[in-house]
Amino acid sequence: MSARLAILTGTLAGQTRDVGPAGITLGRDPRCDIRFDPTADTEVSAHHAELRMENGVAIVRDTNSTNGVYVNDSRVRGEQALSDGDVVRLGARGPKIRVETQAAPAAATTKGSTTERVAVAVGRQTRGLRAALVAAVVLAIGAGAVALVSARRADAARSTELGVLRARNDSLSSAIDRDLRSMSGRLAGLDSALTATKRESERLRTELASERSGAAVRLLSAQIAKTESRRGAIAVAARIDYEAIARTSGKAVVMIAVEMPDGQLFSGSGVGVTAAGAIVTNRHLIRSMDGVLPRRIAVAYADTREWLPAHIARVAADGDLAMLQIDREGPYPFVANVASDAPAVGAPVAIIGFPVVESAPAGGSMDSATVRSTLGVGTVSGSSTGALQIDAFATEGSSGSPVFDATGSIAGIVYGGARDVGGRVVYAVPAPAVSALLH
């Protein structure tokens, strides 16, 4: 069987694509086989889904998209087999794609076909070559065995010493791992941890200089690299006061609940930017790609129980950003500072929002529940004019979460994540675009 995709809606409507042996990827990232418009197809994640053929059956898989994959209006959890005529949708309001399957042409089976004759002729011509190749392999294996025995004898005297070095370095790594897991606020004791790892790296380098065995050199080099990596992780974490950011800015983060005219409920995150109740979030959260607006919008500030009605105040022309305005008079918690530039690659950041929340009411029916945000830590791993790439965690409900730099300023707004990484690579609209929306 083979499959063809017919795109029914969205910016690529009318196009068709065949599904090859390697499958096909769909999303807004330039590396996807089918790339949707990053500005217009906002329901689509950077790496949204992939479709492949397996044993003659077409299979679609949700690659950790923000807004989900639907088959015939039913949400896909993981992956799902497809039938001819099934309609796949990227997000509840995103582009629709029809799957068309057809039987592949039967392979030629006529006895004595051209293909078979060529195969027989090739087999005859290469019989001698194969025999020579086997002999060469046998000789190579014999020579390798002799060399292996010699190497083992030369390294036997060092095996005990290398075992001691390995155990000592593994013990160091375990200690550093425990320090990283127990970090909170400014990570008490970081100076001593950095000093200890620096001393251990210097000791390992001294031992490395005295080694002559190739195996010992490789082992100690790996140990040093591992220790240096741990030192780098601690040093990065020490550059940002997560506790202070949560204390000063966390209460300005809001959960956003949206009810569409068809009754569907969606939720996400946002951040207050004025005392009067202006909130920045994602455009794709409060407007469908077809331009349909919500019936109701409500927001709840972190650590509160009250849901407040709000309306759309402004939508960015470029970038996945929008501004909401609370309908009731303030004052409300807010973050005053937006960074003038995007953080540099390697800079530590904090993300505060409401991941893993799939839906919430767009009215005041959650009076008994206190809204609790989650703080995640990360590092900027890539930067461009239109996007930040962050090694952190995000999933459904994270859309619109503010990204804070080491000064506590808003450095960006989360809008999606990469596929096949379990939510560990996050994309955000950088601070300059946020400033443009506010002004």
Side-chain angles (χ1 to χ4, degrees), residues 286-320:
I286 51 87
R287 190 182 74 178
S288 73
M289 64 173 297
D290 301 325
V292 177
L293 300 178
R295 176 191 300 168
R296 290 189 297 170
I297 302 174
V299 304
Y301 284 87
D303 302 323
T304 69
R305 298 185 178 185
E306 184 178 13
W307 286 87
L308 305 166
H311 65 273
I312 301 171
R314 192 179 307 160
V315 177
D318 297 319
D320 194 352

Side-chain angles (χ1 to χ4, degrees), residues 29 33 49 58 89 107 113 162 168 215 238 242 328 369-370 397 406 419 432:
D29 191 280
D33 299 317
R89 192 161 193 167
S113 65
L162 292 177
R168 188 184 306 166
Y242 298 110
R328 300 178 188 173
T370 299
R419 65 186 181 99

Side-chain angles (χ1 to χ4, degrees), residues 171-185 187 190 230 233-234 237 377:
S171 176
L172 169 68
S173 298
S174 297
I176 296 174
D177 285 338
R178 289 194 298 272
D179 288 341
L180 289 173
R181 287 194 295 268
S182 64
M183 288 189 302
S184 63
L187 309 177
L190 279 174
R230 294 299 185 188
I234 294 175
V377 302

Side-chain angles (χ1 to χ4, degrees), residues 344-422:
V345 173
V349 294
I351 300 175
I352 304 180
F354 300 90
V356 196
V357 178
E358 294 191 358
S359 63
S365 60
M366 286 185 66
D367 293 338
S368 62
T370 299
V371 174
R372 302 292 187 191
S373 63
T374 298
L375 183 146
V377 302
T379 305
V380 176
S381 56
S383 180
S384 65
T385 302
L388 291 176
Q389 178 176 297
I390 304 169
D391 290 352
F393 175 78
T395 184
E396 292 190 45
S398 295
S399 292
S401 298
V403 179
F404 296 101
D405 63 17
T407 69
S409 300
I410 297 175
I413 300 294
V414 172
Y415 69 84
R419 65 186 181 99
D420 295 335
V421 291

